[in-house]
Amino acid sequence: EIVLELARTTEQLEGRVTDDNNNPLRAWLEVALVNLKGSGNVSNAPFWRKYNFETNADGTFRQTDLAPGTYSITALPGKDAKESMTTKRKVTIPAENPVHIKLDHGVSLEGKVLRYNGDVARDVNLMFSKDNRWSAYTRTNSQGVFNLVAPEGQVKYYAWWKNEEKNGALEEQNGRVDITGKREYILLLNEKKYLTVQVTDAATKQPVPAYTVIWNEREGPKRSTIRNGFDEKGVTYLPL
């Protein structure tokens, strides 16, 4: 006999969002259940709903019909928060009601991404993070420029982009940058080496433009690279 006990969604989450000086801020909140009271981790269960809502103009918020448990809150600053950053924290309901969320203060940073040869790198996706409390996504424009509100000190970054010269092959780069006392920053992308692969018909020796190749690395990160869509010469490129 299997007995299922449904969690009662009778709790609520309420509180306010402010800056470092306790001034109210309008923000967008993403709330997700991490642990159900008396149960294990449920963050990967597809049936658990995530709540997305905006605070009032005075920074207050209230979300009803929640089950008791631990929740992850991501607070994204509104347009009036000029140098406030996305802030993450966990709360336990109902023990921590009401909740006071302070958006961490950051610095406005203008960055530029250059390729290894000095050319501007446009359409580069950038994800920055620090101490599991802050993360931000941005993308370079046609001049290789991006804008970001970031914390002082060392932050991690992960960059990914398509190399159009290599049939749109995906390139990636990660590392750390120190933006202490800086309002401008230049990020240089490393030169990538490629393995050129050509597929031809065994009988006719003619190139095959439509094909899929899977490249399994045996050293280093041991990742798999899948490439689809060869050019008219049957050629594609695998980043090493």
Side-chain angles (χ1 to χ4, degrees):
E1 180 181 357
I2 299 177
V3 179
L4 299 179
E5 182 178 349
L6 299 180
R8 295 183 179 180
T9 56
T10 58
E11 302 297 339
Q12 66 180 22
L13 173 67
E14 60 180 335
R16 62 192 180 101
V17 178
T18 69
D19 61 14
D20 283 343
N21 297 317
N22 287 326
N23 297 312
L25 287 177
R26 184 188 292 272
W28 184 261
L29 301 181
E30 297 177 354
V31 179
L33 181 62
V34 177
N35 286 290
L36 190 64
K37 185 177 180 180
S39 182
N41 187 291
V42 297
S43 59
N44 293 323
F47 49 81
W48 283 111
R49 179 182 175 186
K50 292 184 178 180
Y51 302 87
N52 297 273
F53 53 91
E54 190 177 24
T55 68
N56 300 316
D58 60 357
T60 59
F61 61 88
R62 183 171 179 264
Q63 177 67 42
T64 59
D65 297 326
L66 299 177
T70 302
Y71 289 78
S72 171
I73 301 179
T74 302
L76 295 87
K79 295 181 179 179
D80 58 337
K82 295 182 179 179
E83 290 197 340
S84 293
M85 302 182 302
T86 299
T87 302
K88 296 181 179 180
R89 62 170 295 185
K90 289 183 179 180
V91 299
T92 300
I93 298 174
E96 297 183 51
N97 262 329
V99 178
H100 181 194
I101 300 176
K102 283 190 177 183
L103 295 188
D104 295 331
H105 182 76
V107 294
S108 296
L109 177 72
E110 180 176 283
K112 193 169 189 178
V113 180
L114 301 177
R115 300 182 64 185
Y116 65 91
N117 57 5
D119 292 343
V120 298
R122 65 180 185 179
D123 298 329
V124 176
N125 301 283
L126 294 161
M127 178 64 74
F128 293 86
S129 63
K130 183 177 182 179
D131 301 332
N132 296 321
R133 282 182 49 84
W134 169 83
S135 64
Y137 166 81
T138 186
R139 184 181 174 93
T140 62
N141 61 19
S142 59
Q143 302 301 314
V145 174
F146 66 89
N147 293 280
L148 187 71
V149 177
E152 292 272 6
Q154 291 270 348
V155 299
K156 296 179 182 179
Y157 77 88
Y158 171 63
W160 69 100
W161 66 98
K162 288 185 177 181
N163 188 333
E164 299 301 337
E165 297 177 359
K166 300 295 184 181
N167 292 357
L170 179 67
E171 294 191 9
E172 303 167 290
Q173 182 173 312
N174 61 75
R176 292 178 178 269
V177 296
D178 189 352
I179 55 176
T180 302
K182 296 181 179 178
R183 293 283 177 164
E184 297 180 357
Y185 192 88
I186 294 179
L187 179 63
L188 186 64
L189 300 180
N190 299 326
E191 182 179 9
K192 300 290 183 180
K193 294 182 179 180
Y194 280 85
L195 174 67
T196 303
V197 178
Q198 183 178 36
V199 179
T200 59
D201 187 283
T204 65
K205 305 301 182 183
Q206 295 299 310
V208 180
Y211 214 82
T212 298
V213 63
I214 301 177
W215 171 259
N216 292 309
E217 298 183 14
R218 296 185 179 273
E219 298 180 359
K222 295 183 179 180
R223 62 183 179 181
S224 295
T225 301
I226 302 176
R227 292 290 291 132
N228 294 293
F230 289 43
D231 63 18
E232 66 277 3
K233 297 180 180 180
V235 174
T236 194
Y237 304 91
L238 296 172
L240 301 177

